[in-house]
Amino acid sequence: MRCLTDRVLVIGLGLIGGSLASALRSHRICRTVIGYDRDSEEMATGLRLGIIDVAAEDLLMEAAQADVIVLAVPVKAIESVLAELLPVLRTETIITDVGSVKGNVVKSAKALFGEVPPRFIPGHPIAGSEKSGITAADATLFEHHKVILTPLPQSDREAVTLIARMWQTVGAEVLQMDVARHDEVLAATSHLPHLLAFSLVDTLAREQDCTEIFRYAAGGFRDFTRVAASDPTMWHDIGLANKSAILQKIDEFSAGVQRLRDAIETEESQAMLGIFTRAKAAREHFSKILSGSAYTQNMKIKDATFFAQPGGQVQGTIRVPGDKSISHRSIMLGSLADGTTEVTGFLEGEDSLATLQAFRDMGVVIEGPHQGAVKIYGVGIHGLRQPPGPIYVGNSGTTIRLLSGLLAGQAFDSELSGDASLSKRPMERVAKPLRLMGAQVETGENGCPPVKIKGGQALQAIRYEMPMASAQVKSCVMLAGLYAAGETRVIEPAPTRDHTERMLRGFGYAVDVAGNQVSLSGGGSLQATKIDVPADISSATFFMVAAAISPDSDITLEHVGINPTRIGVINILRAMGSHLELLNEREVGGEPVADIRIRYAPLKGIHIPEDQVPLAIDEFPALFIAAVCAEGETVLTGAEELRVKESDRIQAMVDGLKILGADIEGTPDGAIIRGSEMGGGVIESHDDHRIAMSFAIASLRAKGVIEIHECANVATSFPNFVELAQQVGIRVRKEEK
Ligand code: S3P
């Protein structure tokens, strides 16, 4: 590789300076690395260990000849070092530093030069350890760490680029930030924790029996105080250099400790659990962000591919995860109820977790989920608090649409946003009726997210005739109706899932259902209850279709919700000739449940009755696979809603099935599918969980390997799909990047 520059002078051969010098050499970023340290021993060690090429005998002479100077001295020493160099510095020399406070470095440069020179680029590698000195130098120290550069308006672009490339070449990720913002962020994320660690150890060490305390202090103490072994002078300097931001953070922290102290003193369990559960969720969320696998913003970072081998059949008895629609609603209504709601069977998928997090952000204490168990300490219908920022709901259409209705009735402003796929989905369908109720709702470009809601509006009940059969729109209007004066009535063009109505009743709220009309009056309250979430029929569908298409299959799916508004898939599969039994039918918490046994039988094509479409709306990707495996033609009409799901599901299935060689044609509101053979191929799932899972089961009847891309979102509704699929005999495996 060509060198980026000729002579780099590193002043200060501590952990950071030494590690950078070493990395510059090992990556051959410049021709010569010159090291300088006040302590000549450190320079000698640097030479001996091969960390530097040259030890600077005469600092000023080396500074005069250097192309790049890195100031790796303690923050407080930067001004005096710069003052010493000033007489010999050439204008073309690029200067940077590694101090963890930037405001004071910029101030020093201004004081000395009159204005910060264009080729002085302040920087801060966020790397280090409690070790110090050149013997701790490590050429890999910056790999996968962040380096923040804080260039100023007058900074020379070329100089910024060179410093950025220097850090990137040693393996760091380079970010740019405003000086003041940098100092504020670092006060919170680095300076405060270091100072607290020093303070905690010092406080405990003062106690009489401190030896005992330290002797028995195990993991917690050790983890919390590791950084108290850091360099005291350095932290002294940082404490003063970033004084105002640090004082602000210490005050905020002290107030937080005081709140916890009060809660313990008064034995307020809910307040204590609130602090702990919020912190635990936030901590897990951070560590997931750091490992690139959170369910929020960075969901796109992860990537998963499914490889499905052809052939096989399915056998066994399994329980698929909890119903997504019911899981969302359990958190929403549990949060608004008076009292504590206990949920079992909760779906621990990314979508329902997004709802759970949203309510935590609005001040609700929620314990769990732990193996499907969730405990929600309801705050009452008017008890939600303004979230600290926009609510991010990831891929979840149900969260954003239902929450829009609920938030329209709150006293505070709010904003809802989602991932790339959700950001393309229509939100005016909920914004319009909410505006008719007097809500102030704004959607983004083309009526898509973000959704911005102005709080404090007096809502009026409406009578709303829905232009499309959508349970999300119906539920949104009903949730807003809880806060509206008068009776809100929704009229459906066709029956859609009625979990909101059922669950509201379960929470003791009067809901009237007559024919295709649902109504409720605002101003009531909800009473906490117990909810047992049945297994999701939409997830069970993949295994129902798997058994229906592969000879010799026999599978039983336990405890599946068979709400009459969800059983389109059962009706359609039966009409196609499949051998499907409902066993052990019962009712659990207001929802009908059964075990579903399905055995292979040859399928035939049908014209799918349009009244079944809303009842099977999420099941069509899998049903398309069944149709390809059936004899004759299957025709789907009246299903234009499929085009605005997590992907355009008609297009995604038509494209994918054509790649496998199936005989299929898309129409504006459905498809015509003829029974045909499927080969192998590479399929795009368009980040849509149900498209990904449908092609995985297609492999049972395919003649070649099916490779399915963009499968990470399977975790939104069915986190253990691959494991369960393998368990029953589907030869699918997942590769994650
Ligand atoms: C859902 C309603 C349906 C469905 C979605 C969940 C719900 O959406 O597709 O997966 O929980 O209310 P639409 O209301 O857009 O049909």
Side-chain angles (χ1 to χ4, degrees), residues 324-325 328-329 398 401-402 425 429 469-473 475 497 617-618 641 645-646 690:
K324 185 152 75 75
S325 295
H328 283 299
R329 289 158 171 84
T398 307
R401 297 213 177 101
L402 270 61
R425 297 182 64 189
R429 55 177 58 198
S470 163
Q472 292 178 354
V473 176
S475 303
R497 66 192 68 193
I617 194 68
D618 289 340
E641 277 292 302
K645 294 292 177 191
E646 286 83 329
R690 300 202 201 279

